[in-house]
Structure formats: C-alpha cells, structure tokens
Amino acid sequence: MRKIILPSVIILSAIVLIAKIFYLQVIDETLKLKAENNAIKKVFDFPERGYIYDRNGKLLVANQPSYDIMVIPREIKNIDTTEFCKLLNITKDYFINKLEKANVYSPRLPSVFLAQLNKAEYAAFQEKERKFEGFYTQKRALRDYQVKDCANIFGFITQVNEAIIEKNPYYNPGDLIGKQGVEQQYEEILRGVKGVKYLLRDKHNKIIGPYKDGAFDTIAQQGKDLTLTIDHELQKYGTELMVNKRGGIVAIEPKTGEILALVSAPTYDPSLLVGRQRSKNYTALYNDSISKPLYDRGLQATYPPGSPFKIITGLIGLQEEVIDLNSTFYCNGGANFGRFMKCHCGLHTLQLNNGTYKSCNSYFGNAYKRTIEKYKDSYFSVDNWANHVKSFGLGQFLGTDMPIGAKGLVPTSKTYERMYNGAPIRSSYIISNSIGQGEVLTSPLQLANMMAAVANRGYYYTPHIVKKIKGQALDKKYTTKHYTTIAKEHFPAMIQGLADVYNVGTASTLKVEGLEICGKTGTAENKIRVAGKTYQLKDHSIFVAFAPKENPTIAIAVFIENGYWGSRWAGPIATLLVEKYVNGKISRKDLETRMLNGSIEDEYEKIENIIFQRTPERKIKKDTISNIKNKIGEARKEEENA
C-alpha cells in the first residue's frame, strides 16, 4: 500500500502543476496583460456614488461633475512650467512637491496632480492640455448637497491616504472615500465599482486603440441609493431651534427603532467640505476646539442623565418589589441619606404617580435605597441594579449603523470595588445614582432609546439611520426586539406619571392642547476643572418624551448644555419637535418664537473666558477660533465665485 501512495501523490502533484501552468500561459491572459504594461495605459471610469434620500423620498445628496488633473511623471516632456502654474493658479513649489510625490508612487502610473477642478478651471486647462504632455484630465463625481443641514449624518468625502491604500487594494492614490456618517458606514454600498479601460500605445506613446478590442475592459457600476430613516423636515426644524445653543437631539420611532432626527449643535453646512476649499474649511472646523462643530453631541457626548433616570429607578423598584403603587415617602424639601438631597417638589407625601410628575428626589432616593439594600451582599445588589439599567440600552454602544458613538457608563460592583477598596457599599455612598447624578453617564441617543423602550412597554429595536438600500435587505439585527428586565405590567403606572408631568407636573406650562405627551424634565449639575481648579457652571437642561401616550410614534431626548433647568430650554424644544412630527404643525407659537430667537452664547462665553484666563498659553488659539467663522465664510465665497 505504501509503495502505491507515494508515486500516486507525486503523479497527482505533477498533473496539478502542469494544469496550472497551462492555464496561466495559454488560457488566462492576465499575466500577459501585466507583461505588456509598458505599452498599455489603464484608465479608470469612476462611477457616481449612490444618492441619499430621507424617509419621505426627499433627495438630500446627489452628485456633481468634477475634474482631476492626472500626471504620469515618465511621460512629461519639455513643458512650460511657468505657463502651467499660472493657468492653474498654483505655485512652482506646489508643482515640484506634487511631481516628487507622484514619482515616489510610480513614474509610470497615473496619480492625481490637482483634484476637484470646477467647470471654469477645467475648461481653461482643456484648451491647452495638448501643450502639457504627461498630464490629462479625468472626470469624476463629487457630492452635491441639496440641504444645508445633516452634516453630522452624511459625513464627507475625502482622498484616500497611504494607510488606506495599503489596507485595501481597491483604492489608488487620488481615489475618494467616505469619512464619518453614512458616507463612511456605507462606503462599499455607496461608492459602486470602478470601471477599467485598457488602451494600447504605439512606440511614440500615442493611443492607437483599445487593448484586445476591450476584452479586459470592465464597466463602472453606480453606487446603490440609500433611503435614510431621517425625516428631513423634523431634522431641519431641530437644527433651527438649536441655533446659538450647544447640545444634541435624538428622535426615534419606537415601533421600528428608526432615527427620525439626529441633531448636533453647533453644526456646519456640508457643502463646505466639497471642492478645492475642502481642506482649508476642514482645518478651520477641526481647529474650533470650543464649539466643536465636527463633534456629534447626539452620539458622542455623554452627560449625567439627571431626573429622566428616575424613570429607571422607579421601574427597577417595582420589578424588585421594594415599592408598589401604594408605597409612600415623605419629602421635607429633600431627604437625608447621609447627605441631603435637596428637592423642589415641596412638602408632600408622595407615591409613584406624584413622585414622578413632581420629580421628587426623596421618593426615588428611597426607592433606590431599598433596591440596593434588598440583598445582604451589596456588590451583588449593585450588579443586579446595573443589569436592569443596561437592559434599557444604557452603558453600551447599542450597535447602531453609525461609525461613531459613546458607551456611556453604568457603574457595577467592579467600579465601586476600585473606589472603596473592596469595602461594603452602603446605599448612602451611591445614592446620587437614584436621580441620575452619580457615576451614571448617558448620551442623547441612549436616553432617546430608553424612552422608546418605555413607550413600547418593555422592549426596543436597535436604533438605525438607514431605512432602505436599493436592491438589498437591511441587517436583521435592526428588526430584532430587545427586551428589558422589567415586566410589562409595571410600565402603565410609570407612563401615567409621565403623562401627568405635562398635565399637572414640571412641564405643565408646555402642554399642547389635544396632544397627550409623556415626558420628564431633567437638570444635571455641570462642572469643569481647569488648571487644577473646579468651576461650577450653569446646569444642563434635559428633557425626554414620547407621544402620543397610546401607540406612540416618536420618542425624543434633548440635551442643552448650560441650559439652566429642564423646562427652560430642552423641554420647549422637545415639545415643539414632538408636535411638529405628530400634528404636522405648531400651535405653541409662543414657545417657537422664544426658542428660535433664544441664545445661550453668553454662558458659553463665560466658559471660554475661564479656560483662556486659567491657561494663558491658549490665548493665541482663542484669537484664532474667534475668526474661524469669518474664514469659513470667506472660503465659501471664494468657492461660489469660482
């Protein structure tokens, strides 16, 4: 048997090798194509990126023609560099630098010399292109934004760098790629597939026709269109309401997890990052370290959740059976839990309903105290509580289809084991968690998702921003329910308390006639530490809501930095957005006027003054930042004039 096996293996291997050689040399001509590279010019045909629409079919992002000047260093012959530079309005240093980079990449292969010419620049160059051997123009499509908002949702298009080229062989120098937002997340879907044409050259380097009659040519495939879950009218309205304010807004459709609005303020016009001025504009936006227009506060910023977290505290208390609907606590302007937690609800005997709509610290502090003290092992109690909290999507990335996001923080036994060196955890140590002022941190997206779970009476769908991909199904994870650890029967009482927040509680001045909104005001303490010193700033204004009470169609979270208290800024903005979406019109014109014209810029100026007074070395940067808007405006005018 052994005598047969060895010769058989040798013969079989020889047959495989001979077959492979025959295939490569006779059947497959790709090696021949590579060998004839010197006589062949490869030209790419760039497809249009897929269009982007909102949930109602409104076109948000289209394409516009653009032209790149390509260079093949080896083919450059005695050109007038002075005329060339003058024609394209570039310096001789720029010319030399770009040519050196092109040579390093490859003296024989084309690379981008000057990208994104507009029509006028292209026309001027095309007239004299024959004079500049080694250079040619290549057409491609750039983004054409139909709206002036949604920049944080779209992202932008930029040239690939060397790291991307090394990692992904699809890209060549000068190719464009999506960065941030859906442009990055859905890059492979939106970009399409490049086409390639192989052209044969004679000994004088002149094109004489297609190689092999185009046998190796491929046709460009246009990118697939995306339909977003965003309601652009709602997004636009939210952006307008957030002018002269900083913060984030996230609105979700509870029954699907579709993100209806994702507002981050301050923001910028997405068209700033298109064209020859893109790099200059991006640098200005990136260097604005104060207002941070490139920072998506709806997804990346984390804040103490404040009083909206009392919703979770109450539901966990009901689930753990440490309170019921008849449990009563007395509020004496607050409660002493080893530290006094001041309250604004007045002197009252409270149960779940009025404890909710009055936002009583005493009631929810006691409910949390009983939850933590239910079990003898305090570390087990903390983890048990944390598992309930995490079931609402807090303390995790949620798995959205956006490339960025913040995990937030839900403290566990490990958190406090480090803090207290393994000593038993007393409820009084961590009582601030009960009212969203302890170690808990949440993003606006997470709080909106929490409200969607409450609106659904105990479950949520993974939030997502793409509703439909042309010719392709969405990932099943976006249609899978995630259940909380709270039984369904505990939600109605809490929801009634949230409805009474508008009826008789802390948001009664925001009530909309004929629309039953369930909401919760919130105020979160706000401090900064600069150069070793802590400064107390104006509190953050927070509001969460869903509507209508029955069969809700929208859940929303609004964070306004330094906004004083919940019903001052966040509450009115949330109410207006809810009414706009549910009713399609605004009846509370008083709120609308106040929010559209309102500004918190004076509070932000105070923060800037603290930072720059305590860190004088940043004074130069402050002067630079103060001129950023002017610089962007000037750059934009340059682009428009061109």
Side-chain angles (χ1 to χ4, degrees), residues 100-139:
E100 286 176 351
K101 286 184 177 180
N103 253 314
V104 169
Y105 166 64
S106 172
R108 298 184 178 189
L109 297 178
S111 58
V112 176
F113 180 84
L114 192 62
Q116 301 180 13
L117 275 67
N118 58 38
K119 290 180 181 178
E121 292 169 329
Y122 167 70
F125 181 77
Q126 194 179 38
E127 283 184 14
K128 299 186 177 182
E129 184 176 341
R130 58 183 177 75
K131 296 174 66 176
F132 307 115
E133 197 169 349
F135 294 90
Y136 68 94
T137 55
Q138 179 172 270
K139 183 180 178 181

Side-chain angles (χ1 to χ4, degrees), residues 284-349:
L285 292 167
Y286 180 82
N287 286 336
D288 187 351
S289 61
I290 300 297
S291 57
K292 300 179 181 178
L294 294 175
Y295 179 63
D296 193 328
R297 286 170 164 87
L299 299 176
Q300 294 175 283
T302 57
Y303 312 86
S307 290
F309 194 75
K310 293 172 182 174
I311 299 169
I312 302 291
T313 301
L315 288 171
I316 294 174
L318 293 172
Q319 181 67 31
E320 289 294 321
E321 299 180 342
V322 296
I323 59 170
D324 57 32
L325 302 187
N326 298 316
S327 297
T328 302
F329 301 104
Y330 183 72
C331 181
N332 186 24
N336 195 340
F337 298 100
R339 52 166 291 216
F340 190 75
M341 287 204 310
K342 188 178 179 182
C343 193
H344 299 286
C345 73
L347 305 178
H348 289 90
T349 300

